[in-house]
């Protein structure tokens, strides 16, 4: 039987944090053997916020080094830059013309980001989900692994694919969001009611994958919890503890019940140290490999160039079919 196709990506916006790692990167690695995986570096999407050009280039290298350091294998997965495969921008435009303003204005991420960047609410920020739909549909993806916050975009992608197929006949595979129950929304350590994010302004809220062991220990020890002293999973009433439990659970492959039993009657001190130790141990090989890779940019270039070649072959087939169906000559 043919392997199912996976497509996903991360924006090239700087250093990755633990939310990226737990929410998707660790999953990407786990999926490599079972699926035909396409993992993209979304650098065109990164343009929706004003960026320093030099930094944007550097972020691509950082993200690619993170992919490989986390365990993605370029011989198993197709790893490439969104900007290297021009079909992304082209299909993105086509899909813009099949997406309604009403649909885009309902996107929570658009609402959040336009509130955050009130001085630069550009059209790209608004049409961003159509470009993302193009990313997914070009590869006829079956499954799209993401964190919880991208679910709405994948659902819109399904609607667009169905709309297009209805008008022009079977063209796109209808993709499914692939979102795990645990870890799909890692919360900030200082504000466990908001998702962990690079743009958090609270100190110690976000653990970066390149943080030192000391920084990780300090941040976890300072994590906001509650006053009842019981390690128990209860997202609504104990968001801080529940978040730490999810992080610990994903890293150690323990269930929430097992974690509750492990720390029964121990208070939060021991638990926090165990969580920090688990993160530190998990990220140590990552950090070493990451530093090695960042010192070898030509190896990283080799990886993305090889990936782009394979990705282009698939993407060009889909776009050719789309253009033929809608009457675009090229
Ligand atoms: P981005 O770059 O914001 O985030 C990349 C992925 O990481 C997940 N994520 C989290 N998961 C759990 N907890 C968190 N705190 C957390 N923060 C981020 C996100 O849900 C996402 O899956 N538009 C996408 C990038 C993209 C894409 C695509 C994804 C472009 N084209 C095609 C899938 C398919 C984005 O901005 O993700």
């Amino acid at each position: 039987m043919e392997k199912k196709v996976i497509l996903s990506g991360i924006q090239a916006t700087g250093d990755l944090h633990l939310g990226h790692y737990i929410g998707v990167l660790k999953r990407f690695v786990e999926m490599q053997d079972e699926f035909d995986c396409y993992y993209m570096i979304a650098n065109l999407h990164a343009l929706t916020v004003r960026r320093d050009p030099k930094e944007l280039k550097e972020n691509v290298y950082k993200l690619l080094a993170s992919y490989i350091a986390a365990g993605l294998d370029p011989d198993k997965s197709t790893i490439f830059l969104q900007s290297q495969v021009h079909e992304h921008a082209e299909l993105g435009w086509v899909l813009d013309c099949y997406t309604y303003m009403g649909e885009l204005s309902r996107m929570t991420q658009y609402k959040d980001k336009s509130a955050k960047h009130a001085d630069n609410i550009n059209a790209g920020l608004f049409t961003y989900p159509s470009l993302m739909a193009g990313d997914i549909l070009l590869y006829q993806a079956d499954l799209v692994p993401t964190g919880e916050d991208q679910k709405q975009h994948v659902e819109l992608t399904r609607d667009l694919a169905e709309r297009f197929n209805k008008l022009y006949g079977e063209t796109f595979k209808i993709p499914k969001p692939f979102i795990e129950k645990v870890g799909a929304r890692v919360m900030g350590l200082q504000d466990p009611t908001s998702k962990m994010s690079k743009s958090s302004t609270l100190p110690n809220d976000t653990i970066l994958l390149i943080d030192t062991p000391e920084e990780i220990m300090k941040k976890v020890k300072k994590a906001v919890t509650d006053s009842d002293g019981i390690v128990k999973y209860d997202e609504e009433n104990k968001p801080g503890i529940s978040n730490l439990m999810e992080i610990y659970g994903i890293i150690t492959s323990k269930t929430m019940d097992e974690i509750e039993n492990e720390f029964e009657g121990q208070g939060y001190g021991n638990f926090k140290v165990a969580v920090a130790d688990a993160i530190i141990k998990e990220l140590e090989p990552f950090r070493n490999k990451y530093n090695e890779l960042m010192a070898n940019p030509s190896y990283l270039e080799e990886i993305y160039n090889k990936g782009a070649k394979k990705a282009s072959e698939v993407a060009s087939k889909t776009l050719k079919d789309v253009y033929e169906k809608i009457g675009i000559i090229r």
Side-chain angles (χ1 to χ4, degrees):
M1 215 175 78
E2 270 201 14
K3 284 183 176 178
K4 288 204 164 161
V5 176
I6 299 285
L7 178 123
S8 196
I10 300 181
Q11 276 200 64
T13 55
D15 297 318
L16 293 189
H17 55 68
L18 195 63
H20 292 122
Y21 185 80
I22 301 273
V24 287
L25 199 46
K26 215 169 146 57
R27 311 261 182 234
F28 288 178
V29 176
E30 286 162 7
M31 296 177 105
Q32 288 186 112
D33 290 313
E34 195 183 334
F35 300 100
D36 183 12
C37 299
Y38 292 82
Y39 295 125
M40 198 184 75
I41 291 190
N43 55 348
L44 295 175
H45 272 110
L47 291 175
T48 52
V49 172
R50 205 66 71 229
R51 295 187 192 282
D52 175 62
K54 201 168 146 250
E55 243 171 57
L56 179 54
K57 276 190 192 166
E58 212 173 276
N59 288 346
V60 164
Y61 286 78
K62 284 182 173 178
L63 184 49
L64 182 54
S66 302
Y67 276 5
I68 308 297
L72 286 188
D73 177 347
D75 290 328
K76 289 183 186 164
S77 298
T78 306
I79 302 168
F80 62 101
L81 316 185
Q82 188 182 30
S83 56
Q84 288 183 295
V85 181
H86 59 83
E87 284 82 0
H88 288 255
E90 291 185 58
L91 185 59
W93 166 251
V94 172
L95 293 175
D96 271 348
C97 302
Y98 292 83
T99 315
Y100 301 117
M101 302 282 281
E103 289 175 312
L104 293 172
S105 41
R106 280 196 291 278
M107 296 291 122
T108 4
Q109 184 164 317
Y110 168 69
K111 291 189 220 166
D112 289 351
K113 287 210 170 165
S114 47
K116 249 188 210 156
H117 303 278
D119 55 338
N120 181 20
I121 306 179
N122 57 67
L125 198 61
F126 190 63
T127 60
Y128 171 118
S130 313
L131 179 61
M132 177 162 160
D135 299 337
I136 297 167
L137 299 179
L138 276 176
Y139 299 91
Q140 307 289 355
D142 294 281
L143 297 171
V144 186
T146 66
E148 187 63 44
D149 65 336
Q150 297 297 319
K151 189 172 177 203
Q152 207 184 16
H153 294 159
V154 183
E155 278 164 357
L156 176 67
T157 304
R158 288 170 61 85
D159 292 344
L160 295 180
E162 278 166 5
R163 183 171 304 156
F164 196 97
N165 287 353
K166 224 170 160 185
L167 287 167
Y168 303 102
E170 213 48 35
T171 309
F172 297 123
K173 178 89 68 71
I174 312 295
K176 284 203 187 87
F178 188 83
I179 298 168
E180 296 284 347
K181 282 203 181 66
V182 175
R185 193 170 167 81
V186 176
M187 307 308 255
L189 297 185
Q190 287 301 310
D191 176 7
T193 60
S194 299
K195 72 168 184 172
M196 186 177 282
S197 126
K198 181 90 199 304
S199 55
S200 169
T201 49
L202 298 168
N204 303 317
D205 198 41
T206 303
I207 293 183
L208 298 180
L209 303 188
I210 53 164
D211 276 349
T212 62
E214 294 73 29
E215 282 166 325
I216 295 172
M217 185 59 80
K218 183 185 90 181
K219 288 179 181 178
V220 175
K221 279 189 171 167
K222 287 191 173 201
V224 167
T225 53
D226 52 66
S227 56
D228 71 6
I230 301 166
V231 178
K232 185 172 180 316
Y233 190 80
D234 177 350
E235 251 181 309
E236 201 173 319
N237 299 306
K238 295 165 72 65
I241 284 295
S242 303
N243 186 40
L244 292 178
M245 286 176 75
E246 289 204 19
I247 293 171
Y248 185 67
I250 293 279
I251 294 179
T252 59
S253 306
K254 287 177 186 166
T255 64
M256 297 301 114
D257 278 347
E258 285 167 344
I259 302 171
E260 285 174 8
N261 289 335
E262 186 179 350
F263 295 97
E264 201 184 333
Q266 292 193 39
Y268 295 155
N270 283 350
F271 174 57
K272 280 183 166 177
V273 171
V275 174
D277 279 341
I279 301 172
I280 291 166
K281 199 165 143 229
E282 173 85 8
L283 293 183
E284 192 186 71
F286 171 91
R287 235 192 5 260
N288 295 338
K289 188 93 210 277
Y290 176 87
N291 290 332
E292 242 174 65
L293 288 160
M294 284 303 282
N296 192 355
S298 55
Y299 173 62
L300 296 173
E301 283 155 13
E302 229 173 80
I303 293 175
Y304 67 60
N305 286 329
K306 181 175 146 218
K309 227 170 130 207
K310 166 138 189 256
S312 296
E313 280 169 23
V314 180
S316 61
K317 258 198 221 147
T318 305
L319 189 71
K320 184 166 177 276
D321 185 28
V322 168
Y323 276 172
E324 275 169 11
K325 285 184 166 142
I326 59 177
I328 294 293
I329 300 167
R330 68 204 295 237

